[in-house]
Amino acid sequence: MFQGASSLNLDAKGRMSIPARHRDALNVQCEGRITLTRHPDGCLLLFPRPTWESHREQIAAWPIQARDWKRIFLGNAFDVEMDSAGRILVAPELRSAVGMQRDVMLLGMGSHFEIWDAAKLAENEAKAIAGGAPDVLNNFSF
């Protein structure tokens, strides 16, 4: 179960270091084999390869009415591997598609991660807070 936020930087080649606390789990779970794809919210999704393969099968089975969504998820999927330093390469096509600059945030979302441009994530979170909680959370409390 991945959770928590990490503030990271992309290097000049577009590589991102996976934080040590997640690196070991990813090495055990998928031998460092990862899939990155685009999300329509404006972030990237990072999946351990076995988790992605399950999602990929489900997405591939979507009906023709969902072909545009298939293109977003499957057409933008890149298989990558962590290098010996625990870095992954974020393809230029993916960085461009979501407007990702140097400063990024890696968010653990349970079975996978979201990777956001740091400024874009801050803007989205501010909008969400200003808009108030959705009705579906009315009965939720800590």
Side-chain angles (χ1 to χ4, degrees):
M1 182 68 93
F2 303 112
Q3 63 182 24
S6 300
S7 178
L8 306 169
N9 296 310
L10 295 177
D11 69 12
K13 295 179 182 179
R15 294 175 301 191
M16 179 184 82
S17 291
I18 302 295
R21 70 177 188 262
H22 300 305
R23 189 179 311 151
D24 293 340
L26 287 168
N27 275 322
V28 168
Q29 187 175 355
C30 61
E31 299 172 340
R33 296 176 19 236
I34 293 165
T35 299
L36 296 172
T37 194
R38 184 176 164 201
H39 191 281
D41 283 348
C43 67
L44 300 178
L45 300 174
L46 183 157
F47 290 95
R49 187 81 45 80
T51 304
W52 169 250
E53 289 170 352
S54 172
H55 287 293
R56 182 181 62 201
E57 289 177 19
Q58 293 172 18
I59 294 166
W62 289 350
I64 195 158
Q65 296 89 341
R67 68 181 168 268
D68 292 335
W69 291 96
K70 277 184 176 182
R71 285 186 197 108
I72 290 170
F73 294 112
L74 295 180
N76 288 287
F78 283 81
D79 291 337
V80 298
E81 292 192 23
M82 277 193 296
D83 66 15
S84 60
R87 298 174 301 193
I88 60 166
L89 176 65
V90 181
E93 297 88 347
L94 289 176
R95 294 191 315 262
S96 177
V98 298
M100 191 171 286
Q101 301 298 316
R102 184 175 185 270
D103 298 325
V104 299
M105 293 294 295
L106 178 74
L107 304 175
M109 302 298 291
S111 66
H112 65 283
F113 296 91
E114 292 181 352
I115 308 170
W116 286 86
D117 176 78
K120 191 172 195 176
L121 176 62
E123 180 183 317
N124 283 6
E125 287 180 348
K127 284 180 185 176
I129 291 168
D135 290 343
V136 71
L137 299 180
N138 283 346
N139 293 323
F140 177 79
S141 68
F142 284 102

